[in-house]
């Protein structure tokens, strides 16, 4: 479980959230996307990059930032072209949530309520 100070620190530093989730530093383009997202300067985006450049990892981190700090209680939707890709993306979100929270949940109010191959529900 994260302390209040750790929770506030993560809420203000998306690069640290990315580092804790992914286990490495964000690329400069990923940092710019996260900063714009957290600042609220955009809500839709298209990323034109090559394969294996971290788009799924960034999307997974952004949905966690959205769900935990930007709009708790809201609904976030991640879309993928196939069910296999959707399941892989949700597995990444769940893995990153556990890495971010130490597997125990951020706080009692924000604990992982339910999960399946295609969705997760937080208590908030």
């Amino acid at each position: 479980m994260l302390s209040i100070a750790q929770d506030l620190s993560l809420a203000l530093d998306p690069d640290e959230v990315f580092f804790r989730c992914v286990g490495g530093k964000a690329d400069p383009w990923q940092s710019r996307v996260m900063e714009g997202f957290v600042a609220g300067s955009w809500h839709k985006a298209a990323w034109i990059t090559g394969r294996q450049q971290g788009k799924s990892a960034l999307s997974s981190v952004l949905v966690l930032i959205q769900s935990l700090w930007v709009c708790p209680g809201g609904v976030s939707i991640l879309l993928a072209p196939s069910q296999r890709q959707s399941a892989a993306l949700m597995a990444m979100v769940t893995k990153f949530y556990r890495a971010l929270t130490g597997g125990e949940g951020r706080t009692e109010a924000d604990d992982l309520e339910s999960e399946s191959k295609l969705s997760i529900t937080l208590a908030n």
Side-chain angles (χ1 to χ4, degrees):
M1 183 180 330
L2 299 175
S3 70
I4 293 173
Q6 290 171 318
D7 193 44
L8 180 59
S9 174
L10 288 172
L12 298 173
D13 188 1
D15 283 315
E16 179 62 23
V17 174
F18 188 93
F19 183 81
R20 285 186 182 215
C21 290
V22 177
K25 189 175 174 185
D27 288 341
W29 75 271
Q30 292 169 319
S31 291
R32 286 191 304 273
V33 167
M34 288 187 292
E35 288 168 11
F37 181 78
V38 170
S41 58
W42 58 266
H43 299 285
K44 297 178 183 178
W47 307 320
I48 302 171
T49 67
R51 294 192 56 202
Q52 301 295 314
Q53 296 298 309
K55 297 179 292 292
S56 294
L58 178 60
S59 298
S60 298
V61 170
L62 287 176
V63 79
L64 288 174
I65 290 171
Q66 174 79 12
S67 299
L68 296 173
W69 297 293
V70 174
C71 186
V75 175
S76 298
I77 300 172
L78 292 173
L79 301 173
S82 70
Q83 186 171 354
R84 180 191 60 78
Q85 290 169 311
S86 295
L89 193 56
M90 282 311 306
M92 188 178 289
V93 170
T94 304
K95 175 184 169 188
F96 288 175
Y97 178 80
R98 292 195 193 311
L100 186 62
T101 61
E104 298 177 14
R106 197 166 56 104
T107 64
E108 292 300 319
D110 295 322
D111 204 5
L112 188 59
E113 200 170 80
S114 69
E115 68 179 283
S116 72
K117 287 190 180 232
L118 297 175
S119 70
I120 62 171
T121 304
L122 302 178
N124 70 354

